[in-house]
Amino acid sequence: MKIGMISLGCPKNLVDSEVMLGLGEQAGHTVTADAADADALIVNTCAFIDRAKQESIDTILEMAELKKAAPGKRLVVTGCLAERYKDELQAQIPEIDAVLGTGEIAQIVAAVTGGQSPNAGAERIGGRSPSSSPVAFYRDRQQPLGSRTELPTYLYDASTPRHLATPRHYAYVKVAEGCDYTCAFCIIPRLRGHYRSRAVGEIVREAQALADRGVKELLLISQDTTFYGNDLGERGALGRLLRRLNQVDGLEWIRLLYLYPTTIDDGMLDAMAESEKVCKYIDLPLQHASDAVLKRMRRPGTRAGYERLLDRIRRRVPEVALRTTFIVGFPGETEEDFSELSAFVSAMSFDHIGVFTYSHEEGTRAGEWDDDVAPATKRRRRDRLMAQQRKIVAAAQQRRIGTRVRLVIDGPSPEHELVLRGRLASQAPDIDPVIYLTDCDPSEVSAGQFLDGEVVGARDYDLVVRPLNPSSVVLS
């Protein structure tokens, strides 16, 4: 069969998609990028916020229309929306042939081929019974996480096949699955289960296999990457893992994403500072800086504590790039709370920030409260914070002109095929600004090559770099 995949949401979801495609190929099927040509369509969904849920539903309905035009196709829905609303999806969209939750990835081959129904054991796997509405469905699951035995437990390993959907030179690797935190705005622990770390040796073996396939940049991900190993009683495991990965032949960069402020230890920071392949890049979603809002969010720490943490990071890892995200419009957020967040952003001078407007989600603790910040106020606060950050970044970019940098080529720019784009070690793919190359013949370099250059200009968030000399190119 020809299998088509539409993967939505975060890189953690993308790894699941790659595993499902890999399992399909291992079973003798092929992957196609043409949905119309596929014998089976998989929509791997996201359900983190309203916008993601709507995109998932719209995509499912679009694929359902394709199936109507070719009744022989199979339509399989997987991922977080499937875990959250399994019964509702199948009842309300009859074109769906199978729905797999986040813990049922291994059943994908049976789902796409129409073998034994992967939903036949739904009562055993999910412990759920049909309900009339998603809201009622989720209100039935408000018991403490620790009392639930039906949480997803799936965790892939180094022997699990993967069909990489990223460009050839970089790949994401999950170091763990699930989450043990109880942030008031987040549904992920109920969809992904408790935190469970992979073994160091497993991750190193996967990293070497990816490097053997041409991967140059490894991006380590999980819901909280700095909690890695703590669930196994192995404190300091992330620092030790970084030092092991630093020895993997073929890798150029190792990048950490999704860190958590209370689990960053000195061992990890020292490993980052001392390991030449580990990017000096901290992705640290803080979510807010007002103590009152942080408390309502059920986030550990305070603004003063965050300031001390950021100072410690900068002292132990010189020239580190700091990325964070914030949520504005959380229930009860006042103008004073927002002003405190704004002052914090000005004082900390982050390299990159993302700002999200709060999304009211059923099944979360905050979902039971009044969504009392008007949508227009949420958007205004987001725009104000981003405008403030734009000025901070513009000043920093101007200071970089004339400096020497090392970058990786990602390939032609989507805007113009004759313009090459790349990234610095301080820039993660897809979420951060990029580098545009000047005085460079696109035919002489290709994606995955590393080179040295000089910053010669800045365009808003992005930089313009001139390669220094052809001999600086490192072939893939």
Side-chain angles (χ1 to χ4, degrees), residues 338-401:
F338 177 75
S339 295
E340 187 168 356
L341 173 58
S342 176
F344 177 75
V345 169
S346 290
M348 292 298 101
S349 295
F350 293 99
D351 295 274
H352 315 290
I353 73 169
V355 182
F356 299 90
T357 57
Y358 169 72
S359 176
H360 214 46
E361 297 298 320
E362 70 270 15
T364 63
R365 288 172 171 83
E368 299 295 320
W369 308 338
D370 289 336
D371 189 6
D372 58 359
V373 181
T377 301
K378 294 177 185 180
R379 292 192 296 270
R380 176 170 49 82
R381 290 175 181 173
R382 178 197 60 201
D383 294 345
R384 283 171 55 189
L385 208 58
M386 288 306 298
Q388 177 181 330
Q389 174 68 7
R390 189 173 297 111
K391 293 179 181 178
I392 294 170
V393 171
Q397 299 292 62
Q398 289 299 315
R399 291 193 295 270
R400 302 197 69 161
I401 294 176

Side-chain angles (χ1 to χ4, degrees), residues 42 44 55 95 98 102 137 154 199 223 250 293 339 356 384 400-401 432 439 476:
I42 305 169
N44 194 16
E55 181 184 22
E95 291 81 11
T102 59
F137 164 61
Y154 177 81
Q223 293 302 135
V293 175
S339 295
F356 299 90
R384 283 171 55 189
R400 302 197 69 161
I401 294 176
D432 290 331
D439 301 331
S476 302

Side-chain angles (χ1 to χ4, degrees), residues 196-219:
R196 47 205 188 273
S197 299
R198 297 175 60 197
V200 168
E202 279 288 310
I203 297 170
V204 173
R205 282 193 291 275
E206 183 181 15
Q208 187 62 69
L210 289 169
D212 293 343
R213 293 170 65 175
V215 169
K216 299 295 182 182
E217 179 180 1
L218 210 63
L219 297 103

Side-chain angles (χ1 to χ4, degrees), residues 46-269:
C46 179
F48 186 56
I49 59 176
D50 278 340
R51 188 184 307 166
K53 288 189 291 185
Q54 188 60 56
E55 181 184 22
S56 294
I57 291 294
D58 290 345
T59 304
I60 294 169
L61 292 174
E62 182 182 353
M63 295 305 104
E65 289 300 314
L66 277 180
K67 181 181 175 179
K68 288 178 183 178
K73 288 184 188 290
R74 286 186 64 80
L75 177 57
V76 179
V77 177
T78 65
C80 288
L81 193 77
E83 177 69 27
R84 192 170 185 179
Y85 301 125
K86 174 178 288 190
D87 302 313
E88 289 75 14
L89 284 169
Q90 197 133 37
Q92 296 176 24
I93 308 178
E95 291 81 11
I96 297 174
D97 294 290
V99 182
L100 301 183
T102 59
E104 300 167 311
I105 290 173
Q107 300 183 36
I108 190 62
V109 174
V112 299
T113 59
Q116 182 178 357
S117 172
N119 297 324
E123 286 298 316
R124 176 183 58 81
I125 293 171
R128 301 200 286 269
S129 58
S131 59
S132 59
S133 74
V135 174
F137 164 61
Y138 243 80
R139 284 178 179 163
D140 289 340
R141 301 181 71 189
Q142 288 297 310
Q143 65 266 42
L145 291 175
S147 69
R148 300 228 334 256
T149 58
E150 79 279 6
L151 288 169
T153 59
Y154 177 81
L155 189 63
Y156 82 102
D157 59 35
S159 65
T160 307
R162 282 178 63 183
H163 175 97
L164 294 184
T166 52
R168 181 174 177 266
H169 59 285
Y170 68 82
Y172 297 95
V173 169
K174 280 191 188 183
V175 300
E177 182 63 273
C179 184
D180 286 350
Y181 288 104
T182 58
C183 299
F185 53 81
C186 185
I187 196 69
I188 293 301
R190 298 182 185 279
L191 304 181
R192 292 283 179 175
H194 291 294
Y195 197 94
R196 47 205 188 273
S197 299
R198 297 175 60 197
V200 168
E202 279 288 310
I203 297 170
V204 173
R205 282 193 291 275
E206 183 181 15
Q208 187 62 69
L210 289 169
D212 293 343
R213 293 170 65 175
V215 169
K216 299 295 182 182
E217 179 180 1
L218 210 63
L219 297 103
L220 306 184
I221 57 174
S222 72
Q223 293 302 135
D224 170 12
T225 304
T226 40
F227 195 77
Y228 173 75
N230 286 7
D231 58 309
L232 303 177
E234 300 175 2
R235 293 194 176 276
L238 183 58
R240 294 190 292 274
L241 173 62
L242 291 178
R243 294 183 189 277
R244 289 279 302 275
L245 291 174
N246 194 60
Q247 304 302 315
V248 173
D249 292 335
L251 294 180
E252 293 279 345
W253 284 351
I254 301 161
R255 188 183 305 278
L256 296 172
L257 296 180
Y258 312 117
L259 312 184
Y260 203 84
T262 54
T263 48
I264 292 181
D265 61 32
D266 289 344
M268 185 277 288
L269 295 176

Side-chain angles (χ1 to χ4, degrees), residues 456-473:
V456 295
R459 298 176 181 173
D460 201 9
Y461 286 111
D462 304 317
L463 292 172
V464 181
V465 170
R466 175 179 60 84
L468 288 178
N469 56 69
S471 64
S472 66
V473 173

